[in-house]
mmCIF file of all heavy atoms in Angstrom:
data_model
loop_
_atom_site.group_PDB
_atom_site.id
_atom_site.type_symbol
_atom_site.label_atom_id
_atom_site.label_comp_id
_atom_site.label_asym_id
_atom_site.label_seq_id
_atom_site.Cartn_x
_atom_site.Cartn_y
_atom_site.Cartn_z
ATOM 1 N N ILE A 93 -6.233 -31.297 -4.663
ATOM 2 C CA ILE A 93 -6.903 -30.116 -5.219
ATOM 3 C C ILE A 93 -6.534 -28.846 -4.454
ATOM 4 O O ILE A 93 -5.990 -27.909 -5.036
ATOM 5 C CB ILE A 93 -8.439 -30.318 -5.237
ATOM 6 C CG1 ILE A 93 -8.788 -31.475 -6.166
ATOM 7 C CG2 ILE A 93 -9.137 -29.041 -5.690
ATOM 8 C CD1 ILE A 93 -10.244 -31.869 -6.153
ATOM 9 N N SER A 94 -6.815 -28.790 -3.176
ATOM 10 C CA SER A 94 -6.678 -27.536 -2.422
ATOM 11 C C SER A 94 -5.230 -27.057 -2.296
ATOM 12 O O SER A 94 -4.956 -25.873 -2.523
ATOM 13 C CB SER A 94 -7.268 -27.694 -1.024
ATOM 14 O OG SER A 94 -8.625 -28.010 -1.107
ATOM 15 N N PHE A 95 -4.313 -27.920 -1.912
ATOM 16 C CA PHE A 95 -2.927 -27.498 -1.739
ATOM 17 C C PHE A 95 -2.304 -26.986 -3.038
ATOM 18 O O PHE A 95 -1.683 -25.914 -3.041
ATOM 19 C CB PHE A 95 -2.078 -28.615 -1.144
ATOM 20 C CG PHE A 95 -2.464 -29.016 0.264
ATOM 21 C CD1 PHE A 95 -2.045 -30.224 0.782
ATOM 22 C CD2 PHE A 95 -3.244 -28.202 1.065
ATOM 23 C CE1 PHE A 95 -2.389 -30.605 2.072
ATOM 24 C CE2 PHE A 95 -3.598 -28.570 2.356
ATOM 25 C CZ PHE A 95 -3.161 -29.777 2.855
ATOM 26 N N PRO A 96 -2.431 -27.699 -4.172
ATOM 27 C CA PRO A 96 -1.865 -27.144 -5.414
ATOM 28 C C PRO A 96 -2.539 -25.840 -5.850
ATOM 29 O O PRO A 96 -1.864 -24.937 -6.359
ATOM 30 C CB PRO A 96 -2.099 -28.240 -6.447
ATOM 31 C CG PRO A 96 -2.290 -29.479 -5.677
ATOM 32 C CD PRO A 96 -2.905 -29.069 -4.377
ATOM 33 N N VAL A 97 -3.836 -25.720 -5.634
ATOM 34 C CA VAL A 97 -4.542 -24.494 -6.025
ATOM 35 C C VAL A 97 -4.059 -23.316 -5.183
ATOM 36 O O VAL A 97 -3.822 -22.225 -5.712
ATOM 37 C CB VAL A 97 -6.069 -24.694 -5.912
ATOM 38 C CG1 VAL A 97 -6.805 -23.376 -5.998
ATOM 39 C CG2 VAL A 97 -6.552 -25.646 -6.989
ATOM 40 N N VAL A 98 -3.895 -23.515 -3.885
ATOM 41 C CA VAL A 98 -3.399 -22.446 -3.019
ATOM 42 C C VAL A 98 -1.998 -22.035 -3.461
ATOM 43 O O VAL A 98 -1.679 -20.842 -3.510
ATOM 44 C CB VAL A 98 -3.407 -22.887 -1.536
ATOM 45 C CG1 VAL A 98 -2.622 -21.932 -0.662
ATOM 46 C CG2 VAL A 98 -4.830 -23.008 -1.036
ATOM 47 N N HIS A 99 -1.172 -22.990 -3.832
ATOM 48 C CA HIS A 99 0.180 -22.652 -4.277
ATOM 49 C C HIS A 99 0.144 -21.842 -5.568
ATOM 50 O O HIS A 99 0.780 -20.798 -5.667
ATOM 51 C CB HIS A 99 1.025 -23.913 -4.481
ATOM 52 C CG HIS A 99 2.321 -23.624 -5.169
ATOM 53 N ND1 HIS A 99 3.358 -22.983 -4.544
ATOM 54 C CD2 HIS A 99 2.725 -23.846 -6.443
ATOM 55 C CE1 HIS A 99 4.357 -22.839 -5.402
ATOM 56 N NE2 HIS A 99 3.994 -23.357 -6.561
ATOM 57 N N VAL A 100 -0.590 -22.319 -6.560
ATOM 58 C CA VAL A 100 -0.586 -21.667 -7.872
ATOM 59 C C VAL A 100 -1.269 -20.306 -7.830
ATOM 60 O O VAL A 100 -0.770 -19.335 -8.400
ATOM 61 C CB VAL A 100 -1.246 -22.589 -8.923
ATOM 62 C CG1 VAL A 100 -1.478 -21.854 -10.222
ATOM 63 C CG2 VAL A 100 -0.386 -23.815 -9.155
ATOM 64 N N ILE A 101 -2.395 -20.208 -7.148
ATOM 65 C CA ILE A 101 -3.172 -18.965 -7.173
ATOM 66 C C ILE A 101 -2.646 -17.929 -6.176
ATOM 67 O O ILE A 101 -2.621 -16.737 -6.481
ATOM 68 C CB ILE A 101 -4.663 -19.254 -6.926
ATOM 69 C CG1 ILE A 101 -5.215 -20.017 -8.123
ATOM 70 C CG2 ILE A 101 -5.451 -17.975 -6.696
ATOM 71 C CD1 ILE A 101 -6.655 -20.426 -7.992
ATOM 72 N N VAL A 102 -2.207 -18.361 -5.005
ATOM 73 C CA VAL A 102 -1.820 -17.397 -3.973
ATOM 74 C C VAL A 102 -0.304 -17.266 -3.857
ATOM 75 O O VAL A 102 0.269 -16.200 -4.098
ATOM 76 C CB VAL A 102 -2.437 -17.781 -2.605
ATOM 77 C CG1 VAL A 102 -1.995 -16.821 -1.523
ATOM 78 C CG2 VAL A 102 -3.945 -17.832 -2.694
ATOM 79 N N ILE A 103 0.360 -18.336 -3.490
ATOM 80 C CA ILE A 103 1.781 -18.257 -3.135
ATOM 81 C C ILE A 103 2.654 -17.953 -4.347
ATOM 82 O O ILE A 103 3.521 -17.078 -4.288
ATOM 83 C CB ILE A 103 2.213 -19.550 -2.420
ATOM 84 C CG1 ILE A 103 1.425 -19.682 -1.114
ATOM 85 C CG2 ILE A 103 3.705 -19.557 -2.156
ATOM 86 C CD1 ILE A 103 1.612 -20.976 -0.386
ATOM 87 N N GLN A 104 2.441 -18.644 -5.444
ATOM 88 C CA GLN A 104 3.253 -18.424 -6.642
ATOM 89 C C GLN A 104 3.050 -17.011 -7.194
ATOM 90 O O GLN A 104 3.997 -16.374 -7.623
ATOM 91 C CB GLN A 104 2.909 -19.460 -7.700
ATOM 92 C CG GLN A 104 3.740 -19.368 -8.946
ATOM 93 C CD GLN A 104 3.324 -20.409 -9.973
ATOM 94 O OE1 GLN A 104 2.231 -20.958 -9.902
ATOM 95 N NE2 GLN A 104 4.193 -20.688 -10.907
ATOM 96 N N GLN A 105 1.828 -16.519 -7.177
ATOM 97 C CA GLN A 105 1.552 -15.179 -7.701
ATOM 98 C C GLN A 105 2.129 -14.085 -6.794
ATOM 99 O O GLN A 105 2.556 -13.047 -7.285
ATOM 100 C CB GLN A 105 0.045 -14.972 -7.863
ATOM 101 C CG GLN A 105 -0.592 -15.890 -8.873
ATOM 102 C CD GLN A 105 -0.020 -15.707 -10.261
ATOM 103 O OE1 GLN A 105 0.234 -14.593 -10.703
ATOM 104 N NE2 GLN A 105 0.209 -16.816 -10.948
ATOM 105 N N MET A 106 2.137 -14.325 -5.491
ATOM 106 C CA MET A 106 2.644 -13.306 -4.564
ATOM 107 C C MET A 106 4.164 -13.240 -4.531
ATOM 108 O O MET A 106 4.739 -12.158 -4.492
ATOM 109 C CB MET A 106 2.120 -13.576 -3.154
ATOM 110 C CG MET A 106 0.676 -13.211 -2.953
ATOM 111 S SD MET A 106 0.096 -13.590 -1.290
ATOM 112 C CE MET A 106 1.195 -12.643 -0.275
#
Side-chain angles (χ1 to χ4, degrees):
I93 296 174
S94 299
F95 295 162
V97 167
V98 167
H99 170 73
V100 170
I101 292 177
V102 178
I103 297 173
Q104 183 181 19
Q105 296 299 319
M106 285 178 58

